[in-house]
Amino acid sequence: MDLNTIERNDPDSVAQNAAVASAPAKKVFVKTYGCQMNVYDSQRMTDALAADGYTATDAIAEADLVLLNTCHIREKAAEKVYSELGRIRDMKAERAAVGRKMLIGVAGCVAQAEGAEIIRRSPAVDLVIGPQTYHRLPDVLARVRGGEKIVETEYAIEDKFEHLPKPKRAEMIKRGVTAFLTVQEGCDKFCTFCVVPYTRGSEVSRPVAQIVAEAERLADAGVREVTLLGQNVNAWHGKGEDGMEWGLGRLLFRLAEIPGLARLRYTTSHPRDMDDELIAAHRDLPALMPYLHLPVQSGSDRILKAMNRRHTAKDYLALLERIRAARGDIALSGDFIVGFPGETDADFEATMDLVGQVNYASAFSFKYSPRPGTPGADMPDHVPEAVKDERLQRLQALLLKQQQDFGLGLVGSTIDTLIEKPGRQAGQKVGRSPWLQPVIVDEKAGEIGDIIRVRITKTGYNSLFAELA
Ligand code: SAH
Ligand code: SF4
Ligand code: F3S
């Protein structure tokens, strides 16, 4: 999962557009931080606001409403929000000077975790809204426009998804041929380093019918590849159309029947929830892409225990063996934390060792960041920053080498590629490999939405170059 900040609509690149701000319709500028679920949520909030008369803009200076969809996972992510709010406050003041209003909203995991504290620290903020109440956004905004400041972080009893407006078909088409679909939200695992159970609440699975209907609408709008999302996506379960209890594996089989949907993925999974049916789906379902993000965090049993991951390194390796036996060409991706409290050199070497054994096609690794309210923050023996830095560097060098070797290993082979969008350079299009690498092809190789056979000719830093096979 790409948890590096997703900064779309970067205000740095649009601030100079201030002079052209003169449109009459209400405009909203949304900036998204954090994980894919926030990307999905930002789209759903945009849909809810569209129903309320707002059009989306990429130009922050002309926005009547600026909405930051925030991430609380590490301290840096959370602090970024406050520096951003400082800049937006200045823009709000400039707009006020010419008699125009700008509302500022904070949504997402920082909103849920810090609530009213955000308005205390940044008084220019008009509303704070947690992820479980996005369907109430239009009502909340109506009150904010009436002059109230609102903090809405109570968990709603009604089903948010049931009440969120559906995107217009034209809007879905604009969003492209790949899409996210949240099927599960929240987490009951309580890893001792993690804020997610506090910011997203306890595990909730969306019902089968809702998911199937949403996937059908996406397919109808030309989407070819759907990534099912959940903080613990493989803990998803629900009553199926046959009245039986389904797990994620069964759901994937059902979604694969939808005409037009050629590719399925899911993220993020927990090793403890990889059941036989899901592994069987990797064996029997061609639409399920041979790529699995399965975070392990550490290779040391002592640290895994302190993290409350509730499995050992050996359990993880044995699980991978079963998955690889089911699907030989599956590529692994993972998340790692270095410098968890009490991590010794030997613990860290165990992580390096595990990485060496697994051979990841890609991975994300982070320095442990103590989060207020989590058990890890109060544990003894915090690791000095310099040690964390050094460990992270060594781990990332190894992971980068594995990623590059994985790409190099594909040169000369023939693979399927979903053409996604025009390339950055004229004459090119960019596709997506089964393992999520960007694949650069000649623009005449096919149309957006086509799945074509290509031969890999060489690798770039994080991409593949290919020609029609
Ligand atoms: N649900 C997913 C992970 C969600 S958070 C899972 O269980 O794997 C995404 C990643 O952020 C985690 O896998 C972890 O590697 C990292 N992360 C979470 N909390 C962190 C913290 N306090 N410090 C550093 N990294 C953290
Ligand atoms: Fe966080 Fe652990 Fe839940 Fe993942 S499984 S979201 S790391 S508490
Ligand atoms: Fe961040 Fe919340 Fe996602 S803390 S990683 S935005 S679930």
Side-chain angles (χ1 to χ4, degrees):
M1 178 182 290
D2 186 355
L3 288 140
N4 301 325
T5 303
I6 298 159
E7 293 194 336
R8 306 175 313 152
N9 309 342
D10 186 349
D12 290 336
S13 58
V14 290
Q16 63 268 32
N17 288 351
V20 294
S22 65
K26 285 186 291 182
K27 291 193 173 170
V28 57
F29 173 93
V30 183
K31 180 163 176 170
T32 308
Y33 303 82
C35 62
Q36 287 103 324
M37 194 168 290
N38 265 10
V39 175
Y40 176 85
D41 286 347
S42 286
Q43 290 180 347
R44 300 306 299 266
M45 282 193 278
T46 306
D47 298 335
L49 290 166
D52 197 34
Y54 282 90
T55 52
T57 177
D58 284 342
I60 189 168
E62 51 178 62
D64 303 286
L65 169 65
V66 174
L67 204 52
L68 303 185
N69 193 8
T70 61
C71 174
H72 202 249
I73 202 83
R74 285 168 289 275
E75 192 182 355
K76 252 198 201 136
E79 281 306 313
K80 217 180 254 179
V81 174
Y82 287 102
S83 52
E84 188 67 24
L85 282 172
R87 292 198 297 183
I88 298 168
R89 176 198 57 208
D90 296 344
M91 268 180 235
K92 179 174 179 160
E94 281 165 29
R95 258 176 86 96
V98 295
R100 298 196 57 187
K101 229 176 166 171
M102 176 189 269
L103 298 176
I104 304 178
V106 177
C109 291
V110 176
Q112 189 62 43
E114 299 191 358
E117 171 69 9
I118 297 173
I119 298 185
R120 207 188 53 75
R121 265 182 81 175
S122 300
V125 171
D126 300 285
L127 76 129
V128 174
I129 186 162
Q132 303 313 329
T133 36
Y134 290 158
H135 56 297
R136 296 188 186 159
L137 196 51
D139 292 344
V140 169
L141 270 172
R143 284 161 60 200
V144 170
R145 280 193 299 268
E148 271 181 81
K149 293 226 177 214
I150 295 188
V151 177
E152 180 92 347
T153 52
E154 290 297 313
Y155 288 171
I157 34 163
E158 70 273 15
D159 177 358
K160 155 177 85 173
F161 294 105
E162 205 55 71
H163 289 80
L164 274 166
K166 295 168 183 56
K168 295 223 164 62
R169 189 164 180 275
E171 184 57 34
M172 282 202 259
I173 291 170
K174 231 168 53 193
R175 286 174 186 167
V177 295
T178 62
F180 294 133
L181 200 177
T182 293
V183 300
Q184 180 279 336
E185 199 171 355
C187 181
D188 296 337
K189 296 256 181 330
F190 290 93
C191 302
T192 53
F193 52 82
C194 185
V195 292
V196 170
Y198 312 96
T199 64
R200 291 279 172 168
S202 52
E203 269 176 36
V204 178
S205 293
R206 289 179 71 185
V208 173
Q210 233 185 49
I211 296 166
V212 170
E214 188 166 332
E216 283 172 348
R217 278 198 307 278
L218 289 168
D220 177 59
V223 168
R224 306 299 316 276
E225 174 176 312
V226 167
T227 303
L228 306 183
L229 299 182
Q231 268 92 25
N232 236 295
V233 71
N234 54 345
W236 178 90
H237 60 95
K239 198 175 201 164
E241 290 151 338
D242 52 5
M244 307 284 282
E245 185 69 10
W246 289 7
L248 189 69
R250 187 69 189 77
L251 180 68
L252 286 162
F253 275 98
R254 174 65 184 89
L255 295 176
E257 289 169 8
I258 296 174
L261 281 194
R263 291 175 153 198
L264 297 170
R265 305 175 184 276
Y266 60 93
T267 197
T268 298
S269 353
H270 193 286
R272 281 180 61 93
D273 292 320
M274 289 300 300
D275 64 13
D276 291 341
E277 199 176 34
L278 187 51
I279 296 175
H282 279 286
R283 184 189 59 216
D284 300 332
L285 201 54
L288 184 54
M289 291 293 98
Y291 180 84
L292 176 62
H293 184 70
L294 197 62
V296 64
Q297 315 298 354
S298 168
S300 153
D301 289 345
R302 225 173 53 80
I303 296 299
L304 285 169
K305 188 153 196 285
M307 287 176 163
N308 192 32
R309 293 292 288 184
R310 294 184 296 143
H311 64 76
T312 62
K314 220 169 116 196
D315 296 335
Y316 181 79
L317 292 170
L319 174 62
L320 292 192
E321 229 166 80
R322 283 169 57 216
I323 296 168
R324 281 175 164 154
R327 181 84 204 228
D329 64 345
I330 202 158
L332 265 297
S333 148
D335 291 342
F336 296 89
I337 294 177
V338 300
F340 186 79
E343 187 187 74
T344 62
D345 283 338
D347 293 319
F348 175 67
E349 293 309 327
T351 299
M352 293 291 284
D353 208 60
L354 179 137
V355 171
Q357 287 186 59
V358 172
N359 236 327
Y360 287 92
S362 84
F364 303 94
S365 44
F366 314 97
K367 286 189 285 182
Y368 172 69
S369 169
R371 308 306 293 127
T374 62
D378 297 326
M379 286 181 187
D381 303 324
H382 278 255
V383 175
E385 210 49 33
V387 177
K388 287 187 199 170
D389 279 328
E390 198 224 302
R391 288 179 187 166
L392 187 68
Q393 260 182 31
R394 274 188 59 204
L395 177 60
Q396 289 190 334
L398 176 60
L399 290 166
L400 182 63
K401 171 88 174 53
Q402 293 188 345
Q403 179 179 327
Q404 286 170 342
D405 286 349
F406 179 70
L408 284 171
L410 290 171
V411 173
S413 66
T414 305
I415 66 166
D416 282 342
T417 294
L418 168 61
I419 303 186
E420 237 193 314
K421 55 190 172 194
R424 254 184 232 159
Q425 282 175 34
Q428 294 180 339
K429 281 200 180 96
V430 184
R432 203 183 254 206
S433 82
W435 307 280
L436 280 183
Q437 297 125 309
V439 182
I440 319 291
V441 294
D442 187 278
E443 66 174 344
K444 291 190 205 73
E447 297 305 316
I448 289 170
D450 288 351
I451 293 175
I452 56 171
R453 291 292 283 173
V454 298
R455 188 172 309 104
I456 307 300
T457 53
K458 60 175 183 176
T459 63
Y461 180 71
N462 177 36
S463 55
L464 302 170
F465 290 83
E467 57 193 21
L468 264 184

